[in-house]
Amino acid sequence: MEEGVKRWVVDISKWDPLPRQFSFALSLLPPQQHSSVTRFFKTQDQKRALISRMLQYALLHDLIKINNPFLFTIKTTSQGKPFLDIQGETVADFIHSFESYFSSLEWYNILNAPTSNHVLIQFYRYWSLKEAYVKAMGSGLIEGLNKVEFSHTNWTNISATMDGKLMDLWRFWLIELGERHCVAIARGPPKSADISYISTLKKVDFTEHEYNIGLHLPNVDFVELSVEQLVLILQKAFDCENRG
């Protein structure tokens, strides 16, 4: 095979997606590409347009081996011929607007990753931890996140400081969910949460012993479900309700 050349073909003749399945597939494309699919009146034409765009981005991802192919822009000529716009947003452009949310050390670690793909991985790992902290607080506010600095040993034994002071009442985990996907979990004192969140809790006062037991409970693994399994669980729930 020629270097940098791949040829894929997709048979859509037997693909008859439900509206929600079509919408999900469409959501995998950049928002600016949606109108190029929905502008067609006939369903068959929309399917062809959707698969065509998906093929373009899937091939781009496969060839350049980058986590987010949408950092690049696929445009078309006046005659509808697709081409890659190499002036599209770079990784540096993408993460630049987030700099104020990281400490100087965190930002240094992100920018000094060896490749663009590793820069994104570092960025998403730190950002996941920041988001986990915000969600544990029950607050939608992300101001001052640069004051919360995370340290780790190969992304284990994760700790955090606030204005340089160790947050010893908090624990953090970062879990890899397949290639280039991760989720972070934060566990901290209920009294630190936003007042709107505290009001939903039955108990916020714990003895030191009680709190330490809760803080050091083992982290529960994620269970991966397919869409079909999720639908089945809800169907069973509704069936039980109807029978009741």
Side-chain angles (χ1 to χ4, degrees), residues 3 10 13 30 48 51 61 79 105 110 114 142 148 151 180 199 204 230:
E3 184 178 355
V10 177
S13 62
R48 291 192 186 97
I51 298 303
H61 166 71
Q79 300 301 313
L105 178 59
I110 292 171
I142 56 177
V148 181
S151 303
R180 302 186 183 97
S199 64
V204 294
L230 188 61

Side-chain angles (χ1 to χ4, degrees), residues 23-180:
S23 297
F24 174 74
L26 182 63
S27 72
L28 298 176
L29 295 177
Q32 64 269 25
Q33 291 282 351
H34 292 189
S35 62
S36 66
V37 175
T38 58
R39 65 187 179 92
F40 292 102
F41 178 74
K42 294 183 178 180
T43 302
Q44 197 66 15
D45 292 332
Q46 289 187 353
K47 285 168 55 176
R48 291 192 186 97
L50 174 60
I51 298 303
S52 173
R53 272 73 176 173
M54 291 178 71
L55 264 174
Q56 294 168 22
Y57 280 100
L59 278 167
L60 179 60
H61 166 71
D62 188 74
L63 286 171
I64 65 177
K65 307 298 182 185
I66 194 168
N67 186 36
N68 189 356
F70 303 150
L71 294 176
F72 297 85
T73 303
I74 297 178
K75 295 183 177 180
T76 56
T77 66
S78 59
Q79 300 301 313
K81 182 73 172 178
F83 68 96
L84 179 63
D85 181 11
I86 61 174
Q87 301 300 321
E89 186 180 37
T90 66
V91 171
D93 293 333
F94 171 70
I95 69 172
H96 176 71
S97 59
F98 294 90
E99 181 178 359
S100 62
Y101 301 121
F102 297 92
S103 72
S104 57
L105 178 59
E106 290 171 335
W107 194 244
Y108 175 86
N109 291 337
I110 292 171
L111 293 185
N112 284 274
T115 67
S116 294
N117 198 36
H118 284 91
V119 167
L120 278 177
I121 291 173
Q122 289 284 90
F123 167 79
Y124 284 129
R125 284 170 173 169
Y126 277 116
W127 185 250
S128 294
L129 288 167
K130 302 271 183 176
E131 280 195 324
Y133 170 70
V134 170
K135 290 176 181 177
M137 294 285 287
S139 171
L141 299 178
I142 56 177
E143 294 180 2
L145 276 183
N146 60 310
K147 298 179 181 180
V148 181
E149 181 178 280
F150 289 94
S151 303
H152 60 87
T153 304
N154 294 323
W155 296 104
T156 62
N157 300 320
I158 300 171
S159 61
T161 60
M162 169 73 79
D163 286 328
K165 183 179 179 181
L166 180 65
M167 299 167 60
D168 54 359
L169 296 180
W170 286 81
R171 293 193 71 193
F172 300 90
W173 295 266
L174 188 73
I175 302 168
E176 304 290 338
L177 296 178
E179 186 180 7
R180 302 186 183 97

Side-chain angles (χ1 to χ4, degrees), residues 201-231:
L201 303 177
K202 292 183 179 180
K203 183 178 180 180
V204 294
D205 292 312
F206 297 90
T207 66
E208 182 177 352
H209 177 68
E210 289 175 329
Y211 183 74
N212 282 328
I213 291 176
L215 183 64
H216 293 91
L217 286 173
N219 192 34
V220 179
D221 291 334
F222 280 87
V223 176
E224 184 176 351
L225 299 176
S226 66
V227 175
E228 291 77 14
Q229 288 174 313
L230 188 61
V231 170

